[in-house]
Amino acid sequence: MDEPVRPALVDEPGPPAPAGGPAPLAPEDRAAFERALREALRAPEVRAALGRPGAPCTAGELRGRALAAAGSLAAEAAPEYAALLEARSGAAADPPPPGGEGVRALAAALVVLTPLLSAAAAVIFLLLGYGLRLADVARTPADTLVGTGWTAAAVAALAGLAAGGGLAFTAARHRATGQGATGQDATGPDGADLAARGPDGHGPDGHGPGGAAAPGRSAAQAHAAWEEALLRRGLLPWLHRELGVTAGPATAHPSTSTVP
């Protein structure tokens, strides 16, 4: 009788991991494990082995076994996972100062409102002042209102110039950041040339795609490197053993076709 598929990603109970062993998968990384498993099941050699007559198991059975053995399979990419956890802890080490968001929101509101309020005050004061002058009553208050109105108009003009300059600077910085991110994506773990890696996805330093131990690696880069190592060193070799597939050194990324 076929082994039932286990839909949930729950590791089977076993002996506790020894001190200094690979870290267990965090709950937020289990979805990434399932995604890498789907990619591995889409590999051409795996699909060919599943489609031949007399295949030892089905894709559903393999998926259930892999989910049950998630901990041991993920241990094959332990260095990359340790680098991912380190990158996450580094990103969370310097939280923004308390109230920082509120201060920035207040400053942005002032930048927008100051020109508008100053312009409105200038219009009101100038209308009142020149109205009193035309009526030829209360000459001194009229002069005061006119002077205040022109002062408010000058404040509105300066605040508008400052707000425009700030918006232009922010737009230029965002544009430069977007261009930098685009260039990074073109050369990052997802867009790197596989020819620079070994047959198991290792970089030249032997730590994983692009070098899992590279300093300054962002959490997103470390996560991509871990998924790549999990796929190449953990899931694909395991599937090959289960199906009796002899994988050559030029094993490529899984195709995007649907898993049977």
Side-chain angles (χ1 to χ4, degrees):
M1 179 180 296
D2 292 342
E3 180 181 346
V5 177
R6 303 180 60 173
L9 181 57
V10 179
D11 292 346
E12 291 181 343
L25 282 181
E28 61 268 25
D29 295 322
R30 294 181 175 268
F33 180 93
E34 294 190 54
R35 182 168 59 248
L37 176 58
R38 287 194 297 270
E39 287 191 45
L41 287 169
R42 288 196 294 264
E45 68 276 9
V46 173
R47 290 178 58 82
L50 288 170
R52 67 173 183 249
C57 49
T58 65
E61 291 170 345
L62 282 175
R63 185 184 291 110
R65 295 176 193 173
L67 296 180
S72 59
L73 292 175
E76 299 296 331
E80 287 78 7
Y81 192 60
L84 170 59
L85 297 180
E86 182 179 358
R88 284 176 178 166
S89 63
D94 298 321
E101 292 295 332
V103 172
R104 284 193 291 271
L106 178 61
L110 289 177
V111 167
V112 173
L113 292 177
T114 299
L116 298 177
L117 294 177
S118 299
V123 171
I124 293 173
F125 288 140
L126 289 174
L127 287 176
L128 288 176
Y130 282 113
L132 290 176
R133 281 186 179 181
L134 290 174
D136 198 19
V137 295
R139 184 73 181 182
T140 300
D143 293 340
T144 302
L145 288 173
V146 170
T148 304
W150 284 115
T151 301
V155 171
L158 292 176
L161 289 175
L167 290 175
F169 174 77
T170 302
R173 185 176 61 181
H174 286 177
R175 184 164 55 250
T177 302
Q179 291 174 351
T182 302
Q184 183 184 56
D185 289 343
T187 57
D190 290 337
D193 185 4
L194 292 178
R197 308 175 186 172
D200 57 355
H202 284 195
D205 58 358
H207 285 94
R217 180 181 289 271
S218 69
Q221 290 174 316
H223 194 280
W226 169 64
E227 282 199 47
E228 180 77 12
L230 176 65
L231 177 67
R232 290 182 172 274
R233 297 209 308 270
L235 293 170
L236 282 175
W238 180 81
L239 289 173
H240 293 164
R241 290 193 299 269
E242 292 292 313
L243 294 169
V245 175
T246 302
T251 300
H253 276 295
S255 64
T256 56
S257 56
T258 307
V259 178

